[in-house]
Amino acid sequence: MSTAIEWVLEMEIQVGQADAVLPLVTEMAKATQADEPGALTYEYYLDADKTRCTVLERYADNAAVMVHLGNFGAKFADRFMAAFAPVSFTVYGPANEEVRNALAGLGATHQDLIAGFSR
């Protein structure tokens, strides 16, 4: 079975924050790519009317998730929460108790892999 942890986080953009989104997520993506080798996928998507944003993230394992969350908390959490309001947050894979506790504040729900493969 895979050790990868991934999630889909859907968010509404806070009123008056639309112009802050692109610079923020661009900075976050560059920092994550540069500083976190365990971050395998880190992609933001924006709807046509610029009111909703979705992020797809995939990490090699629980340790990589915790590195990301540490960096996120230290560098980006305040600006992120000012720009976005989480709507739905689903975590996939074998998230351990530490990861589950760390993501609980964002309302994360969890699903475990029961079959399939990744290439």
Side-chain angles (χ1 to χ4, degrees), residues 1 8-9 13-14 19 27 30 32 36 41 47-48 50 54 60 66 70 74 77 85 88-89 91 103 111:
M1 291 298 243
V8 176
L9 172 57
I13 297 173
Q14 302 277 20
D19 291 339
E27 181 183 351
K30 286 179 181 178
T32 301
E36 301 177 27
T41 301
D47 70 352
K50 298 182 180 179
T54 301
M66 294 310 296
S88 127
F89 188 15
V91 179
L103 298 176
Q111 294 186 22

Side-chain angles (χ1 to χ4, degrees), residues 71-91:
N71 289 336
F72 171 79
K75 300 176 186 176
F76 302 109
D78 291 339
R79 288 187 289 155
F80 187 89
M81 295 312 291
F84 298 110
V87 173
S88 127
F89 188 15
T90 306
V91 179

Side-chain angles (χ1 to χ4, degrees), residues 52-118:
R52 286 182 73 102
C53 187
T54 301
V55 61
L56 307 177
E57 299 182 37
R58 182 177 174 91
Y59 297 91
D61 53 27
N62 285 285
V65 169
M66 294 310 296
V67 168
H68 176 71
L69 294 178
N71 289 336
F72 171 79
K75 300 176 186 176
F76 302 109
D78 291 339
R79 288 187 289 155
F80 187 89
M81 295 312 291
F84 298 110
V87 173
S88 127
F89 188 15
T90 306
V91 179
Y92 304 92
N96 64 20
E97 186 174 348
E98 181 182 28
V99 167
R100 287 173 183 255
N101 290 339
L103 298 176
L106 291 171
T109 61
H110 298 268
Q111 294 186 22
D112 294 321
L113 179 66
I114 60 169
F117 65 92
S118 210

